[in-house]
Amino acid sequence: MGSVTKLRAAPAARVKIGSKSGAPKVRKEDLPLGRILDGDCVEAMRSLPDNCVDLIFADPPYNLQLGGDLNRPDGSHVDAVTDHWDQFDSFGAYDRFTRSWLTEARRVLKPDGAIWVIGSYHNIFRVGALMQDLGFWILNDIIWRKTNPMPNFRGTRFTNAHETLIWASMGEKAKYHFNYRAMKTLNDELQMRSDWVLPICSGGERLKDDAGHKAHPTQKPEALLYRVLLATSEAGDVVLDPFFGTGTTGAVAKRLGRDWIGCEREDAYRKVATARIAKELPLDESAITTMQSKRDAPRVAFGAVVEAGLLPPGTRLTDKQRRWTAEVRADGSIACGALTGSIHGVGKELQGAPSCNGWSFWHYEAADGLKPIDAARQTYLLSVED
């Protein structure tokens, strides 16, 4: 792409690509960090100074254009997105709305900042075209492939089993941050691909309102935001979510040591998000640190188990004989003293062996005793199958 790659030193291990920034710095103490700004997202963003945000994650209305009720074959009603905030009179109205919030997003982003926008086939292509019109430079489109999507009940189309994320920098030659090494470690020492297989938000992670109903119809899984923030930001960065909803971005940002600002006009969503984030505990600083520069069985990266919270950052691992102790870190790497790397690589180095199966070598303390971390992997596989 004609730009210069420069690796930065510890602790960030991020890649900065492009030309240097000369924009004036904004004092963080002047920003509404850790706050949900009330009202329309465009007006809320206008209250922020120029060049003050490192990363934006945007989950805008999809403009689903749903006509009539949607029912299952048994006649039961499907709880689809029918809220007023997802309804627009025309494509032109949606485009005007999109251009308005993207314009403000571009103003508040730092020159070396980046933006993520998630959408479906209903809107993502219109959003992508407008992003390019405004000067954003698309770096990747990420396909989030859902392991447990909603079926196509009418049987008239393919099952809509994915959503698309656009990751873009401020321009063709602009800098941006990418924690390449952390992503490779999260994926068991393989380059992270642009198709991400993750379950939808369900079970205990799905937030409910006081009546026991879904608090938000399109709540995103924390694992998705975990990967986005870990890949393209670092501890202390300011992350803005213009469509805050129930606060997934804020909760994950707090856990990973990022500062956050949200915009949300719906009172009910702000209430749920505030309560949710208040319960979230930030990880210990050492756990946030990321890495520096059977064939037929489903393959699971250790990072996926970490993302799912089954072996969260900070978990202590040991070999079966308890000779060595290691700590799980945010990107799926582990640290044993000064030795860091994947579960396989660290185990190999400690034993002086040509190879090591980290899934059977490393163990964790469970309620019923010491268990190999493969037990957590099997739990993850069962949750994905469900």
Side-chain angles (χ1 to χ4, degrees), residues 256-303:
L256 291 175
R258 278 69 168 160
D259 291 309
W260 61 269
I261 302 170
C263 306
E264 179 53 58
R265 71 181 190 183
E266 303 292 329
D267 293 337
Y269 298 161
R270 289 198 306 274
K271 178 182 176 182
V272 171
T274 300
R276 173 190 193 177
I277 296 170
K279 297 176 183 178
E280 190 68 47
L281 296 176
L283 296 174
D284 180 80
E285 184 176 353
S286 61
I288 294 174
T289 305
T290 57
M291 284 292 294
Q292 307 300 313
S293 344
K294 306 168 181 157
R295 186 173 298 273
D296 294 332
R299 184 181 178 280
V300 176
F302 183 61

Side-chain angles (χ1 to χ4, degrees), residues 55-355:
L55 187 72
I56 291 176
F57 180 85
D59 183 9
Y62 285 8
N63 191 24
L64 293 178
Q65 310 124 41
L66 296 178
D69 290 335
L70 181 61
N71 296 308
R72 298 180 177 87
D74 63 4
S76 60
H77 179 67
V78 177
D79 185 15
V81 183
T82 56
D83 302 81
H84 63 91
W85 48 257
D86 192 59
Q87 297 170 357
F88 294 83
D89 292 336
S90 64
F91 286 129
Y94 185 79
D95 290 350
R96 288 190 292 274
F97 163 75
T98 302
R99 182 179 290 274
S100 294
W101 75 257
L102 280 173
T103 298
E104 282 304 306
R106 186 169 178 83
R107 181 186 63 80
V108 300
L109 271 171
K110 296 177 182 178
D112 61 351
I115 182 171
W116 289 80
V117 184
I118 185 170
S120 69
Y121 68 88
H122 302 87
N123 73 321
I124 197 64
F125 305 108
R126 309 186 76 86
V127 172
L130 287 168
M131 291 175 72
Q132 290 178 315
D133 287 347
L134 290 171
F136 289 106
W137 188 259
I138 296 177
L139 301 168
N140 275 118
D141 65 324
I142 301 294
I143 299 300
W144 166 31
R145 185 159 66 87
K146 304 172 183 178
T147 59
N148 48 347
M150 181 186 295
N152 183 272
F153 293 108
R154 292 173 177 166
T156 57
R157 305 184 188 182
F158 296 108
T159 297
N160 186 23
H162 77 276
E163 292 183 30
T164 301
L165 298 92
I166 294 175
W167 173 39
S169 67
M170 290 288 281
E172 181 180 2
K173 296 183 179 179
K175 293 181 189 179
Y176 59 90
H177 313 309
F178 180 47
N179 297 327
Y180 166 79
R181 193 66 185 84
M183 287 298 98
K184 189 173 181 181
T185 305
L186 191 69
N187 198 40
D188 274 358
E189 297 302 324
L190 293 176
Q191 281 191 347
M192 184 72 75
R193 292 161 46 115
S194 62
D195 53 335
W196 298 354
V197 182
L198 297 167
I200 63 173
C201 182
S202 60
E205 188 183 338
R206 168 66 74 174
L207 300 179
K208 306 291 178 62
D209 60 20
D210 295 337
H213 303 129
K214 290 191 298 186
H216 194 288
T218 62
Q219 182 182 336
K220 295 301 182 288
E222 292 188 358
L224 182 69
L225 271 296
Y226 186 105
R227 190 172 295 187
V228 166
L229 296 191
L230 198 66
T232 55
S233 70
E234 60 178 297
D237 277 355
V238 178
V239 181
L240 170 68
D241 187 335
F243 307 94
F244 203 61
T246 53
T248 305
T249 300
V252 176
K254 182 178 179 182
R255 187 185 313 159
L256 291 175
R258 278 69 168 160
D259 291 309
W260 61 269
I261 302 170
C263 306
E264 179 53 58
R265 71 181 190 183
E266 303 292 329
D267 293 337
Y269 298 161
R270 289 198 306 274
K271 178 182 176 182
V272 171
T274 300
R276 173 190 193 177
I277 296 170
K279 297 176 183 178
E280 190 68 47
L281 296 176
L283 296 174
D284 180 80
E285 184 176 353
S286 61
I288 294 174
T289 305
T290 57
M291 284 292 294
Q292 307 300 313
S293 344
K294 306 168 181 157
R295 186 173 298 273
D296 294 332
R299 184 181 178 280
V300 176
F302 183 61
V305 178
V306 176
E307 284 179 320
L310 297 173
L311 292 174
T315 300
R316 296 283 179 174
L317 305 181
T318 180
D319 64 295
K320 191 172 184 179
Q321 290 75 38
R322 301 181 185 275
R323 294 167 293 176
W324 300 290
T325 300
E327 183 178 81
V328 176
R329 304 199 298 181
D331 62 354
S333 64
I334 62 173
C336 180
L339 187 60
T340 60
S342 68
I343 54 173
H344 314 294
V346 172
K348 179 182 73 172
E349 292 297 324
L350 290 172
Q351 299 177 91
S355 63

Side-chain angles (χ1 to χ4, degrees), residues 4 7 14 25 51 76 146 162 348:
V4 179
L7 294 175
R14 66 183 183 182
K25 290 185 177 180
N51 311 128
S76 60
K146 304 172 183 178
H162 77 276
K348 179 182 73 172

